[in-house]
Amino acid sequence: MKLYGDWRSSATWRVRIALAWKNLDVDVTPVDILAGQQRSGAFLEKNPMAHVPVLEIDGGVHLAESLAILEWLEETHPSPPLLPSDPILRAKARQQALLIASGIQPLQNTKVQIHVRDVLHADERAWVRHFVEPGLVALEALVRETRGKFAVGDAPSFADVCIVPQLHHARRFDVDLARCPSLVAIEAECAALPAFQRAHADRQPDAPRST
Ligand SMILES: N[C@@H](CCC(=O)N[C@@H](CS)C(=O)NCC(=O)O)C(=O)O
C-alpha cells in the first residue's frame, strides 16, 4: 500500500494512526498541500477532490476520505480493532469521529483559510478559532458520556484517531482548550501508545527538521 499525504494534514494523520495501530506498513509519498501539489493533474487522477489522504491499495485502487479509509481498514484488518464491539458504542465512536471530520475540519482546511485571508481579507486564524473551539466543546460533552481511558471506553477507536490530530491543530491556532479537559486527558493517554507516537506529524519524513 502507498499513502499519499502531508505531514501537517490532520486527515492524513488519522490514517497513519490506524495503519500503525494495525501494524500495517505503507510507502509514504508526500504531497505538499501548502505548495498546491494536491491540485496537480497526477494527484487529481487519484482524488478529484484535491484532498489528502489517498491510500493506494492492491490493484492500483485509490481510496480517499479518511473515514472511508478507516472503515476499509477495519473491515479488511479487524484485529486489533478500532471500533468497540457494542453497536451503540460503535455508532458513538463514529459520531465523534464524524463530528471532527465533517463538523470541524472542513472549516479549518487550508484552502478555506487561504480564501478567508486572500479573498475575504479577514483574519484566518480568528476564523479557525471561531469554528474549532465550539466544535471541540460540543465534542467534549459527547465524550464525557462515553469515555473511559479513551473517548469511548478503555480502548482507542476512530474517535481517538480523530481527536489527537485535531487537538494538535487546535493548539497551532491558539484555540482555548480550557473547556475540553476530557479531550486533553484522552490525548495524553493516546500519546503513551507506540502507534500514536509513530504516526505523530513531527516524526514524518516530510516534516521540517526543526519541529
Ligand atoms: N473529508 C476529508 C478531508 C480531507 C482534507 O480536507 N484534507 C486536507 C488536509 S487535512 C487537504 O487536502 N486540504 C487541501 C486544501 O486545503 O487545498 C477526509 O477526511 O479525508
Side-chain angles (χ1 to χ4, degrees):
M1 289 191 284
K2 189 186 279 191
L3 179 64
Y4 294 86
D6 186 313
W7 69 278
R8 61 174 75 75
S9 147
S10 61
T12 306
W13 190 339
R14 297 171 198 150
V15 174
R16 283 199 307 264
I17 295 170
L19 288 165
W21 182 253
K22 291 175 181 296
N23 294 307
L24 296 170
D25 284 330
V26 287
D27 294 329
V28 173
T29 300
V31 178
D32 185 338
I33 58 175
L34 289 185
Q37 290 178 350
Q38 71 279 20
R39 292 188 292 275
S40 73
F43 187 79
L44 290 175
E45 284 179 17
K46 299 173 180 63
N47 184 9
M49 190 58 178
H51 284 166
V52 292
V54 168
L55 187 66
E56 185 175 294
I57 58 176
D58 288 346
V61 173
H62 293 107
L63 299 179
E65 292 296 333
S66 60
L67 290 189
I69 295 171
L70 295 190
E71 294 284 357
W72 178 80
L73 286 169
E74 192 68 10
E75 287 175 13
T76 55
H77 302 85
S79 180
L82 272 174
L83 283 173
S85 53
D86 177 78
I88 290 182
L89 296 180
R90 290 166 83 85
K92 292 283 183 186
R94 288 179 169 121
Q95 176 188 0
Q96 293 170 15
L98 277 166
L99 185 150
I100 293 173
S102 315
I104 298 179
Q105 188 273 337
L107 293 158
Q108 74 190 24
N109 212 348
T110 303
K111 63 185 176 187
V112 173
Q113 289 183 49
I114 291 171
H115 187 80
V116 167
R117 187 191 64 205
D118 295 349
V119 179
L120 304 181
H121 305 296
D123 178 350
E124 77 279 13
R125 292 181 62 82
W127 168 285
V128 168
R129 283 192 293 275
H130 176 78
F131 289 108
V132 172
E133 191 178 322
L136 289 177
V137 169
L139 180 63
E140 168 79 16
L142 292 181
V143 163
R144 280 185 194 178
E145 292 178 8
T146 58
R147 70 171 288 203
K149 278 168 62 177
F150 297 97
V152 181
D154 288 323
S157 71
F158 287 5
D160 309 281
V161 163
C162 293
I163 287 169
V164 166
Q166 183 58 51
L167 287 200
H168 186 269
H169 186 281
R171 285 202 185 83
R172 279 178 46 211
F173 284 79
D174 300 320
V175 172
D176 184 2
L177 297 175
R179 288 188 288 162
C180 304
S182 301
L183 301 184
V184 172
I186 287 162
E187 179 191 38
E189 287 289 343
C190 292
L193 300 175
F196 282 76
Q197 292 166 1
R198 284 203 301 281
H200 195 285
D202 294 348
R203 291 187 56 177
Q204 303 315 304
D206 51 330
R209 283 180 183 277
S210 56
T211 61

